[in-house]
Amino acid sequence: MSEKSRHIFLSVENLSKNFGSFRAIQDISIDIEEGEFVCFLGPSGCGKTTLLRCIAGLETQSSGSITQKDVEISLLPPSARDFGIVFQSYALFPNLTVFSNISYGLINHKWGKDKITSRVNELLDMVGLKSHEAKYPGQLSGGEQQRVALARALATSPGLLLLDEPLSALDAKVRIYLRKQIKDLHRKLGITTIMVTHDQEEAQSMADRIFVMKDGKIIQSGSPKEIYEKANSPFIADFIGITNFIDARVLSKNKVACHAFEVECNTEDMSADLPVRLAIRPESIYLNRAASDVDNCVDAIIIENEFLGSFQRIYVESTSLSNELLMIDVANNSLTEMDLTPGSQIHITLPPDQIRVYPFD
Amino acid sequence: MLASYILFFLLFLVFPLGTLIIKSVQDQNGNFIGLKNYLLYLQEPALFQSFFNSLFIAIVSTIIVVILAFSFAYALTRTCIPFKGFFRLIALIPLLSPSILAAIALVYWLGNKGVLKALLFGNSIYGPIGIILASVYWTFPHALMILSTSLSLSDSRLYEAAEVLKTSKLRAFLTITIPGARYGIISTAFVIFTQVFTDFGVPKVIGGNYNMLATDIYKEVVGMQNFQMGAVISLVLLFPSLIAFFIDQYSRKKQISLLTSRSVVFKPKKSFGVDSLMLGYCTFITVIILMMIGMAQFGALVKFWPYDLSFTLKHYQFEVAGLGWESFYNSIRLAFYTAIFGTIIIFIGSYIVEKLKSDERLRGILQLFTLMPMSVPGLVLGLSYIFYFNAKDNPINFIYATMTILVINTIVHFYTVSHLTGVTVLKQMDKEFESVSLSLKIPLYKMFWKVTLPVCLPTIFDISIYLFVNAMTTVSGVIFLYTYNTTLASVSAIHLDEQGDVAAAAAMAMLIVYVSVLVRIIHTVFTKGILRRTQAWRHDTPNAANDVTKA
């Protein structure tokens, strides 16, 4: 996608925010394109919510600027900015009905009663809550409340939708269902959306682009696939999905030593003797019945076997590779008649192109 | 907004107290004389003795009240006794009357002509015994409220864990119940200590020759017109209250909630032994409270206790000029204005502190100001108002000797508890309501009107009732501030008693009780009736239906 083909909708430049001596976010610069769905992803305390609140104007940045649609909004109060927001707690007004909650922001538009009613009905329809308009928030389930909050935020047709951990307070199943609903809604309305979450699975399933944050900084950004496959640090490799780490030392170009075994992998231009960590996803390791002369084939013993529905996670010990157990995910339908009971001797292969090498930190 | 509240507190709390301190280091003519007044105070054994008297009475009363109220609260929250609602209702009766009603009732029961005088074994009720008994009576419901709140917050899983580990009931009580209520007990002790230590009405009526700080201040100021010494004793009175206040604040900070969202609320189990014991105890306390209020009413309705017990209403005619029905009407006016204006001022103030974005330092100052009134005894506040507002060069001198100054004084005096009530209910509201409104471009005042106010309405009514009843019953705050055309019922009762007309004093105190009861009833009816409409959303049961299957 070229710079010209899509318009930059929101631009954050060198934004920092301090709370006393605590630096919540540090020198963040990002551009978000019109219609994009982006996620700020990171562990709690990484500054993702502070960044969102700065964009909304609910916090004032210590330095830096924010531009929305080519207008600098850095110092505008929230009420002068153009966005709708959904909070983790929903923040629905408990004493107002679903209808009044959704129409709350429309009152300003000086619309006629009919126009408001038809707009609210349209929104209720959109979030699938048609028959609930007369109920109070307390009568709705968590997921329904979340959808009312979404409808309220979208009522005035804002140009930007901000979602602050919108699904965290919900049950697992409802969460997965709402993910799809929000995604569908985004596709239908084409509204530029920023979501804050600490749930990597949520970010990966919903976002066009993910900004991974840590200690107030963005440490990697890219599509969900890029981030999963090309994590640029052990932190991200560990935070996004599940990863096996193996300590090693560079021997020569594309060759590292782990304990008693030499592993082929892409060491790029790391110098010899550099301590490194190898990272490999559990689903990238193969099982071999017999010893093979492919690269990186090593013998191992099965220690434990977890059944996880569509796949099995096998814990193996390979003393020549690492002191720690390695996890290997094997899809159930690809399982051969190999003996996977604990104690069995097997061989495993670590394909060189699936191994990522990080300098030891 | 915030600034106008800071100005309010500067004018009606900080500056008056400052003036009081200045007065204490001046002579009669306003010349600075350093700590000479304090030296004079220390050299006067009679005055100095009062300090220890007050300390002694306050400590003994506090210990008795904490034990009695803890047991009562325990019975209400942790046992299966019947009639809990009734017991609670009766136990709260002393809140509805001025503290002097207890002293008057004690005079009837145990005074020189008292029916149960023999119980004192020759001791006089006029003195420490009377003061302690009356103080215990009127502070009991205050202690009960704090303690039953802290005892009702308990996780039943803790007790189940103890039981599974084969812990004895006594050990569970000592290791779970008492530690859980620890901060409630500390808080109660300080509140009761301060109340008794600074109370004026009870020692005035039943203290006899036993001098206490509060009565000394009154004597110095009203009796001898020695304002400087009054200021010195006021500061001596203020000091222990301040210490108690800061220790209490400190201990509150260390308090961590034992109750999490995963806790299971404690439900008492039946136990014949404990339940019978507690039922007996609660009945005993209830009977005593009814005996006290009953005797005050009886005394007000008989011709000449104890010689002519025939019925009469003549004590309600109040033949002493200035101490009659007009003072009763003044009290109602005061209570009414205090409830209306106080509720508006205090609730908006708590909203500003809790919800509005503002300069952190200014907010911190305002928060400190809102807590200060709790540590300032009414007598001290009242005296400081004289010094500050009576000064000729004060531009707002004109409010002196008016109903306005009484209303403001009462609002400030009872500010803290009302403010904290407001803050508590506002804390329960989602902190993002303001953000949502801003994002939807709805001005905050509209949101306040449409959401905050309706949701908080029950609490707002509670605050107004609290202010009303306290304005009706308070003595210490207003004793220095009323004038001949703003006499108040509670003050009249004291003066009637002073003039030897105990029956009329009892009648006046009972008038206050009637109004307080009436207002409470109206409040209850109001809450059940009109609030039903605005609070419809409260009575709903959450719908636990699964979103996925429904959609």
Side-chain angles (χ1 to χ4, degrees):
Chain A
M1 214 173 300
S2 74
E3 280 289 307
K4 270 173 268 168
S5 69
R6 299 188 80 167
H7 189 69
I8 298 294
F9 181 81
L10 187 91
S11 176
V12 173
E13 277 168 63
N14 307 108
L15 203 76
S16 295
K17 170 74 184 173
N18 307 328
F19 293 105
S21 61
F22 174 67
R23 301 172 71 191
I25 52 176
Q26 304 173 35
D27 199 28
I28 284 184
S29 297
I30 50 174
D31 286 332
I32 295 168
E33 288 164 6
E34 184 139 27
E36 215 181 357
F37 193 128
V38 304
C39 264
F40 300 157
L41 172 67
S44 60
C46 72
K48 54 192 191 301
T49 295
T50 307
L51 179 56
L52 188 84
R53 292 179 71 89
C54 285
I55 292 171
L58 297 168
E59 302 283 356
T60 311
Q61 63 281 354
S62 307
S63 63
S65 69
I66 305 168
T67 314
Q68 185 172 343
K69 277 190 153 176
D70 301 324
V71 179
E72 161 137 18
I73 56 165
S74 315
L75 295 171
L76 294 180
S79 52
R81 300 187 188 195
D82 176 28
F83 68 95
I85 189 164
V86 175
F87 293 101
Q88 183 178 358
S89 61
Y90 322 132
L92 293 178
F93 303 123
N95 62 323
L96 303 181
T97 59
V98 167
F99 185 96
S100 307
N101 261 290
I102 296 176
S103 64
Y104 189 82
L106 295 172
I107 307 297
N108 281 20
H109 285 226
K110 304 249 162 22
W111 285 0
K113 219 178 171 186
D114 293 349
K115 203 172 169 197
I116 289 181
T117 310
S118 79
R119 174 68 178 148
V120 173
N121 283 330
E122 189 188 331
L123 288 155
L124 282 167
D125 215 18
M126 193 167 75
V127 297
L129 289 171
K130 201 94 201 237
S131 55
H132 296 63
E133 58 168 55
K135 290 186 179 170
Y136 291 104
Q139 290 170 295
L140 303 177
S141 70
E144 287 166 339
Q145 291 185 29
Q146 190 56 269
R147 283 183 277 161
V148 175
L150 199 59
R152 181 178 64 182
L154 292 171
T156 53
S157 311
L160 175 66
L161 178 63
L162 305 177
L163 306 169
D164 182 9
E165 302 252 6
L167 305 175
S168 304
L170 298 167
D171 293 341
K173 264 202 158 164
V174 181
R175 206 150 60 201
I176 290 166
Y177 166 74
L178 275 179
R179 262 188 217 166
K180 194 175 157 335
Q181 264 226 332
I182 293 176
K183 198 64 197 143
D184 288 349
L185 215 58
H186 172 254
R187 203 168 296 129
K188 207 164 109 194
L189 302 174
I191 181 175
T192 311
T193 304
I194 304 175
M195 181 170 86
V196 157
T197 181
H198 64 269
D199 182 339
Q200 50 95 12
E201 210 180 293
E202 204 169 285
Q204 281 185 303
S205 65
M206 295 172 81
D208 298 328
R209 201 144 57 103
I210 297 175
F211 295 91
V212 186
M213 294 183 66
K214 191 193 176 196
D215 300 333
K217 290 180 194 137
I218 289 175
I219 51 175
Q220 189 173 6
S221 66
S223 72
K225 192 164 163 10
E226 275 167 352
I227 292 194
Y228 186 78
E229 290 175 353
K230 295 185 183 133
N232 66 6
S233 68
F235 169 79
I236 294 180
D238 194 32
F239 186 68
I240 312 275
I242 290 174
T243 300
N244 293 298
F245 286 108
I246 303 167
D247 291 345
R249 197 164 40 79
V250 178
L251 279 180
S252 58
K253 176 86 177 160
N254 292 348
K255 205 172 244 311
V256 302
C258 330
H259 281 223
F261 193 74
E262 288 180 13
V263 173
E264 296 284 332
C265 55
N266 180 9
T267 60
E268 283 162 4
D269 47 5
M270 293 174 194
S271 56
D273 255 8
L274 182 75
V276 290
R277 301 186 84 184
L278 310 182
I280 184 162
R281 301 282 183 189
E283 70 272 18
S284 303
I285 304 178
Y286 295 95
L287 298 185
N288 304 69
R289 193 189 305 259
S292 156
D293 51 8
V294 295
D295 284 337
N296 302 345
C297 182
V298 63
D299 56 321
I301 301 172
I302 294 184
I303 301 297
E304 212 184 317
N305 196 340
E306 262 176 21
F307 179 74
L308 291 167
S310 59
F311 65 94
Q312 291 193 35
R313 177 161 297 160
I314 297 157
Y315 292 83
V316 303
E317 186 178 67
S318 176
T319 41
S320 46
L321 261 185
S322 160
N323 291 329
E324 281 164 47
L325 297 185
L326 296 178
M327 291 173 281
I328 303 172
D329 288 352
V330 186
N332 281 337
N333 53 17
S334 74
L335 281 176
T336 52
E337 300 87 63
M338 210 182 289
D339 184 10
L340 296 178
T341 49
S344 309
Q345 289 277 353
I346 49 157
H347 296 272
I348 57 173
T349 302
L350 287 62
D353 59 332
Q354 300 288 332
I355 301 174
R356 293 192 62 80
V357 186
Y358 304 104
F360 203 92
D361 48 23
Chain B
M1 286 293 267
L2 189 82
S4 51
Y5 273 83
I6 290 185
L7 185 68
F8 174 84
F9 278 110
L10 285 176
L11 275 183
F12 298 115
L13 182 66
V14 179
F15 293 162
L17 288 177
T19 318
L20 182 78
I21 294 172
I22 293 170
K23 262 295 193 259
S24 76
V25 291
Q26 287 178 343
D27 66 11
Q28 301 269 9
N29 303 318
N31 303 314
F32 178 76
I33 51 164
L35 297 178
K36 214 167 157 193
N37 287 327
Y38 290 88
L39 284 175
L40 226 61
Y41 174 79
L42 290 175
Q43 284 159 2
E44 187 72 63
L47 289 177
F48 201 44
Q49 181 60 38
S50 302
F51 177 77
F52 292 103
N53 288 351
S54 286
L55 211 55
F56 170 73
I57 296 282
I59 290 172
V60 174
S61 306
T62 302
I63 293 170
I64 298 174
V65 169
V66 168
I67 293 170
L68 290 181
F70 184 88
S71 313
F72 205 91
Y74 188 87
L76 292 185
T77 54
R78 300 296 180 86
T79 70
C80 287
I81 59 166
F83 318 122
K84 280 182 186 170
F86 171 77
F87 285 137
R88 196 182 161 78
L89 191 73
I90 300 297
L92 296 181
I93 281 182
L95 287 180
L96 303 175
S97 60
S99 60
I100 49 167
L101 182 122
I104 293 169
L106 279 176
V107 169
Y108 278 116
W109 277 115
L110 300 164
N112 294 335
K113 295 166 205 151
V115 219
L116 300 177
K117 189 169 179 264
L119 286 179
L120 291 176
F121 301 109
N123 294 305
S124 170
I125 192 69
Y126 295 99
I129 299 176
I131 302 174
I132 290 171
L133 288 179
S135 300
V136 167
Y137 173 85
W138 79 266
T139 56
F140 180 78
H142 296 266
L144 178 65
M145 285 192 294
I146 308 175
L147 288 171
S148 53
T149 308
S150 68
L151 276 174
S152 63
L153 301 174
S154 175
D155 187 352
S156 82
R157 293 285 180 258
L158 293 175
Y159 291 91
E160 286 168 7
E163 204 179 329
V164 171
L165 294 167
K166 306 193 189 344
T167 314
S168 72
K169 287 261 186 286
L170 178 67
R171 180 145 180 260
F173 178 81
L174 293 176
T175 53
I176 304 171
T177 313
I178 295 280
R182 184 174 53 206
Y183 293 106
I185 295 172
I186 294 174
S187 191
T188 309
F190 285 122
V191 167
I192 303 303
F193 173 87
T194 309
Q195 278 181 337
V196 177
F197 190 75
T198 60
D199 180 46
F200 168 73
V202 165
K204 178 87 184 71
V205 171
I206 207 167
N209 295 325
Y210 192 78
N211 291 326
M212 293 191 39
L213 285 177
T215 43
D216 280 356
I217 298 175
Y218 184 74
K219 267 185 250 165
E220 291 292 336
V221 172
V222 173
M224 301 188 237
Q225 301 283 309
N226 187 346
F227 291 103
Q228 287 67 30
M229 193 47 79
V232 169
I233 307 175
S234 289
L235 291 167
V236 174
L237 187 73
L238 178 63
F239 195 57
S241 322
L242 272 181
I243 293 176
F245 172 76
F246 282 115
I247 297 177
D248 188 30
Q249 288 298 313
Y250 175 75
S251 93
R252 266 165 213 260
K253 273 198 190 128
K254 289 180 67 178
Q255 183 169 11
I256 10 160
S257 178
L258 294 174
L259 216 59
T260 64
S261 57
R262 287 171 184 272
S263 298
V264 180
V265 178
F266 181 82
K267 282 226 172 61
K269 291 201 190 80
K270 278 196 162 64
S271 150
F272 183 76
V274 176
D275 288 356
S276 323
L277 191 73
M278 283 307 187
L279 183 61
Y281 171 71
C282 289
T283 311
F284 173 71
I285 295 284
T286 308
V287 167
I288 296 218
I289 290 171
L290 290 175
M291 276 169 72
M292 294 284 278
I293 188 115
M295 182 54 99
Q297 179 61 84
F298 185 70
L301 286 176
V302 298
K303 270 193 184 135
F304 191 41
W305 168 270
Y307 308 110
D308 182 355
L309 298 184
S310 54
F311 176 82
T312 177
L313 283 176
K314 79 173 163 98
H315 301 305
Y316 284 87
Q317 284 162 6
F318 310 117
E319 275 141 2
V320 188
L323 301 179
W325 282 90
E326 61 275 22
S327 67
F328 174 68
Y329 298 134
N330 283 338
S331 268
I332 290 183
R333 275 169 61 210
L334 170 67
F336 194 69
Y337 294 146
T338 304
I340 301 273
F341 296 112
T343 308
I344 294 172
I345 292 173
I346 295 169
F347 189 73
I348 293 178
S350 57
Y351 185 81
I352 290 173
V353 166
E354 191 52 39
K355 296 288 181 188
L356 291 194
K357 269 197 166 179
S358 45
D359 185 284
E360 281 304 315
R361 264 170 307 164
L362 286 181
R363 204 227 308 260
I365 292 173
L366 182 56
Q367 265 171 329
L368 179 71
F369 284 171
T370 58
L371 288 178
M372 267 172 72
M374 188 143 79
S375 65
V376 179
L379 219 50
V380 177
L381 190 67
L383 189 60
S384 73
Y385 271 40
I386 302 189
F387 293 151
Y388 184 66
F389 291 105
N390 200 19
K392 293 281 174 295
D393 49 356
N394 188 331
I396 43 174
N397 168 281
F398 62 88
I399 69 164
Y400 189 72
T402 60
M403 183 53 97
T404 312
I405 199 171
L406 289 172
V407 173
I408 293 173
N409 172 279
T410 313
I411 292 173
V412 172
H413 187 184
F414 296 106
Y415 199 99
T416 307
V417 172
S418 315
H419 173 80
L420 293 178
T421 311
V423 166
T424 307
V425 71
L426 288 171
K427 268 195 204 302
Q428 290 163 1
M429 310 243 319
D430 198 306
K431 64 180 183 344
E432 306 293 8
F433 281 169
E434 279 69 23
S435 308
V436 166
S437 271
L438 289 173
S439 80
L440 295 171
K441 301 169 186 43
I442 301 286
L444 285 186
Y445 72 88
K446 270 194 189 162
M447 209 242 5
F448 182 83
W449 191 250
K450 229 183 145 177
V451 178
T452 313
L453 211 57
V455 169
C456 296
L457 212 51
T459 307
I460 292 171
F461 281 131
D462 287 347
I463 293 175
S464 62
I465 277 291
Y466 169 85
L467 289 174
F468 188 97
V469 172
N470 275 303
M472 280 306 289
T473 56
T474 187
V475 173
S476 60
V478 293
I479 190 95
F480 290 131
L481 293 178
Y482 76 93
T483 55
Y484 66 96
N485 53 8
T486 53
T487 53
L488 298 167
S490 53
V491 175
S492 286
I494 285 190
H495 290 315
L496 288 165
D497 173 81
E498 209 169 22
Q499 296 181 6
D501 197 348
V502 185
M508 188 59 92
M510 284 311 295
L511 278 181
I512 295 173
V513 176
Y514 308 150
V515 173
S516 301
V517 171
L518 189 70
V519 166
R520 286 256 169 216
I521 291 172
I522 293 173
H523 174 241
T524 311
V525 171
F526 211 65
T527 315
K528 285 203 172 144
I530 293 176
L531 285 185
R532 184 164 291 160
R533 278 192 290 134
T534 58
Q535 305 295 312
W537 54 275
R538 274 186 206 277
H539 308 295
D540 305 318
T541 44
N543 180 347
N546 189 314
D547 299 67
V548 182
T549 53
K550 273 184 94 181

